[in-house]
Amino acid sequence: MSDTPFGFGLPPEEPENGDEGKKKDPAGGGQGSGGQPGNPFGANPFGFGGLPGMGGQSGADNPFAAMFGSLNPNDLGAAFQQLGQMLSYEGGPVNWDMAKQIARQVVAQGTADGTKDASVGPAEKSAVEEAVRLADLWLDQVTSLPSGANTAVAWSRAEWVEATLPAWQQLVDPVAERVGAAMGDVLPEEMQAMAGPLIGMMRSMGGAMFGQQIGQAVGALAGEVVGSTDVGLPLGPANRAALLPLNIEAFGKDLGVPSDEVRLYLALREAAHQRLFAHVPWLRAHLFGAVEGYARGITVDTSKLEEAVGQLDPTQPEQLQEALQQGMFQPEDTPQQKAALARLETALALVEGWVDAVVHEAAKSRLTSADALRETLRRRRASGGPAEQTFATLIGLELRPRRLRDAARLWASLTDARGVDGRDGLWEHPDMLPTATDLDDPDGFVHREHLDFSELDKMLGEAAKGDAPEDGNGDGKE
């Protein structure tokens, strides 16, 4: 598997607190192939350099290595069959059937420590259900938001893959589509007409390439996550709290904490996330919309490609394939991208900070290991654990709540100053939430007067009902 599915580099390391100090750059991270700082794309975002017969490297740098193996005679039949499937693909920017297939294969292979996936047994299911039930009882006492989980489920790694792929599709497709469209955007119409078959083939292979590498990444991530909200986004179905017993056991192995406390603390976090996403109706769309806004803001520096296209012989469209291997796609940071990324990072910090504060309040007097588990999870997020790194390579965004500690302190201060209802009432409208600037001055935000948007929304709703068309009876009913 290539380390960078879309050519996105891994994020540079962050200090433990996520918002202080300088970033480390051990391998020139944060620079693209052209040496431009902040370029999240590699030299070849389509990754075609490693294809057989197309030059480039093999092995780990060849994204088809995991699929085709060493291409010995016994593998050729299967290899060409999969190649045919790739070239015949006519769907969207990512071949999600292939992504699912590859992810399941990666899960079946097991993790680096030799742990193999296994079906969840009745005892594990019962333990998860009991942990989530108890977690909800504790959370009832520290938040005004009611339970957001109608059911609690214990997933195997394969079940996590199946359940979260729809969310991955919603997150990844906009970025993949924007990158894939760059090639067609730069070609003049007459060239597009003549190179049509080649472009179609390259798009099919691009969809398969993305699908193969996303499958590898999601499959690897399935071996690390402990629930459905590890990256601060609702990846699983709505109103369903999910935990992965096998991964929870691995997470708590070297912590020196009783396994039932580890499970209960993680159940508290999962249940708290579910409350937010269930009872703050605009939050999911806000987070996913920020990712889509980032994708819309992507522009591709195609000057090199335009120059190459201008020198192509229209009778030899295969030259376009050679041009694609020369690292012609160089994205530019735009104000739209930066604004979308800032919105997303702030929202993630507020979500994770609220969960951190609420869970700590619920657990501190009940679990002897609450402080240790809190710090372990904070460091895991702030240092860019496997979940964050995998996500960064998938869509080029670093979904780390850089200011988690600042946000957690702000929510705790709000609890002291306004009480639980006053704190949680800020989720009623996005304009009521703290901004990145407010995280710099939490005391100023805590003691500031805020508009009550709930009354405004109520008035607007009543006005809309009053404008509804009436039927012959004059009662507005059909």
Side-chain angles (χ1 to χ4, degrees), residues 58-390:
S58 58
D61 291 330
N62 178 2
F64 288 93
M67 188 185 304
F68 289 170
S70 60
L71 287 178
N72 61 53
N74 293 330
D75 294 332
L76 282 176
F80 282 112
Q81 181 179 6
Q82 291 206 16
L83 182 60
Q85 293 174 353
M86 291 166 58
L87 295 179
S88 63
Y89 174 69
E90 297 180 352
V94 178
N95 187 331
W96 287 101
D97 290 337
M98 179 169 289
K100 177 179 176 180
Q101 176 186 351
I102 297 296
R104 293 295 298 264
Q105 291 174 359
V106 172
V107 166
Q109 292 169 3
T111 51
D113 62 0
T115 304
K116 297 286 187 179
D117 192 25
S119 300
V120 180
E124 292 172 317
K125 292 181 180 179
S126 177
V128 166
E129 291 172 354
E130 177 62 21
V132 173
R133 185 193 67 78
L134 184 56
D136 262 335
L137 288 177
W138 290 2
L139 290 172
D140 283 340
Q141 302 174 36
V142 295
T143 175
S144 61
L145 298 180
S147 175
N150 297 332
T151 57
V153 294
W155 283 341
S156 66
R157 293 166 178 170
E159 288 173 324
W160 181 89
V161 169
E162 295 276 355
T164 62
L165 272 180
W168 289 116
Q169 183 171 357
Q170 185 178 353
L171 288 165
V172 173
D173 268 353
V175 180
E177 186 172 2
R178 185 65 193 96
V179 173
M183 177 180 64
D185 291 343
V186 74
L187 290 178
E189 292 184 5
E190 59 273 15
M191 180 64 73
Q192 291 186 29
M194 299 189 67
L198 175 61
I199 293 176
M201 181 188 73
M202 297 300 285
R203 285 177 176 169
S204 294
M205 294 190 70
M209 180 77 70
F210 293 155
Q212 190 267 340
Q213 297 192 47
I214 289 170
Q216 286 273 3
V218 171
L221 184 56
E224 303 284 350
V225 295
V226 295
S228 69
T229 56
D230 281 36
V231 296
L233 295 172
L235 297 180
N239 306 116
R240 185 177 301 175
L243 296 175
L244 283 72
L246 184 61
N247 292 353
I248 291 176
E249 180 182 355
F251 171 80
K253 183 177 180 181
D254 299 321
L255 296 181
V257 177
S259 58
D260 58 337
E261 287 199 19
V262 174
R263 179 172 54 247
L264 183 51
Y265 193 87
L266 295 175
L268 281 165
R269 290 183 54 82
E270 177 75 9
H273 277 103
Q274 293 296 334
R275 289 184 181 228
L276 267 186
F277 293 123
H279 300 292
V280 182
W282 54 266
L283 184 56
R284 178 187 174 93
H286 180 75
L287 292 170
F288 281 71
V291 176
E292 294 176 3
Y294 176 88
R296 288 194 300 270
I298 289 178
T299 61
V300 182
D301 181 4
T302 55
S303 58
K304 292 183 180 179
L305 184 57
E306 289 174 345
E307 181 180 353
V309 168
Q311 299 173 0
L312 290 179
D313 182 351
T315 64
Q316 300 183 37
E318 65 275 6
Q319 292 182 7
L320 178 60
Q321 179 173 314
E322 297 175 2
L324 289 174
Q325 299 179 54
Q326 304 305 315
M328 298 298 179
F329 296 93
Q330 300 294 333
E332 300 173 342
D333 286 335
T334 65
Q336 293 90 339
Q337 279 179 291
K338 293 178 180 179
L341 185 56
R343 287 195 301 271
L344 183 59
E345 288 182 339
T346 301
L348 281 173
L350 292 174
V351 168
E352 291 295 281
W354 184 88
V355 168
D356 180 270
V358 167
V359 168
H360 180 68
E361 185 66 23
K364 65 181 182 180
S365 62
R366 296 182 173 96
L367 298 178
T368 57
S369 58
D371 289 336
L373 289 169
R374 183 190 200 188
E375 187 62 25
T376 297
L377 286 161
R378 279 181 165 186
R379 288 172 179 264
R380 189 187 195 211
R381 290 304 311 271
S383 63
E388 288 77 13
Q389 292 180 357
T390 300

Side-chain angles (χ1 to χ4, degrees), residues 366-415:
R366 296 182 173 96
L367 298 178
T368 57
S369 58
D371 289 336
L373 289 169
R374 183 190 200 188
E375 187 62 25
T376 297
L377 286 161
R378 279 181 165 186
R379 288 172 179 264
R380 189 187 195 211
R381 290 304 311 271
S383 63
E388 288 77 13
Q389 292 180 357
T390 300
F391 201 96
T393 63
L394 281 177
I395 64 172
L397 292 175
E398 300 174 23
L399 294 187
R400 301 184 200 172
R402 300 175 186 276
R403 310 195 63 180
L404 185 155
R405 294 174 189 266
D406 293 337
R409 285 193 293 267
L410 187 148
W411 288 118
S413 296
L414 282 168
T415 306

